[in-house]
Structure formats: structure tokens, C-alpha cells
Amino acid sequence: MGIVYRAIATYLIKKAGYNKKTARTGAVTLIQRFGSALNLNIHFHMLFLDGVYVDDASEESHPIFDAAQGLDLRQMSKKQVVSV
């Protein structure tokens, strides 16, 4: 699950025009154990932000949300996933 998170987070951060040191994204993962017929069907649902939070250098400010433009997770190449 951590590998999937890192791959998608890296993609979002790069699409927003930042790097891992300057921006962060967020996600929530839910584990579903059963299907609709109460059969065992373990799988995950992941909800990601559609952008990143950038920390302003001043101490008094709050992180600023910057939406990533042109997101298409189908464009994630195998190379991007493997490099994470």
C-alpha cells in the first residue's frame, strides 16, 4: 500500500510543479474486507487530494493548496511506478 501511495504522490507533486521537499499531498485509504454478498473480497479504496500543499517559508502562514493541472493517472508510466 505504501508503494502505491508513493507512486501516486510523486506523480501529483511533479504535475503540480514541485518536488518532494517543497510540497506534500494527502490520501485516505479504506480497507474493504467483504463484497456485497458477504464473501471475502479484500481490497483497498484510496482517495487522494487533487493537488499539493506547499509550505510558505514564513512561520505565521498556513500551508497553501495548489491544485495540480492536467491530471490523468493513466499517464503514469511503468517507469514512474518502478522508480518509487
Side-chain angles (χ1 to χ4, degrees), residues 35-50:
S36 60
L38 295 179
N39 56 325
L40 184 61
N41 184 13
I42 299 173
H43 59 280
F44 305 100
H45 296 270
M46 296 183 86
L47 302 172
F48 267 87
L49 295 174
D50 59 349

Side-chain angles (χ1 to χ4, degrees), residues 60-81:
E60 297 178 6
S61 67
H62 299 290
I64 300 168
F65 184 76
D66 188 6
Q69 301 298 319
L71 292 178
D72 185 2
L73 293 181
R74 293 173 292 188
Q75 291 179 352
M76 287 182 63
S77 68
K78 189 174 185 179
K79 181 179 177 183
Q80 286 174 309
V81 174

Side-chain angles (χ1 to χ4, degrees), residues 5 12 24-28 47-49 51 53:
Y5 172 81
L12 288 170
R24 298 189 185 272
T25 189
V28 175
L47 302 172
F48 267 87
L49 295 174
Y53 278 98

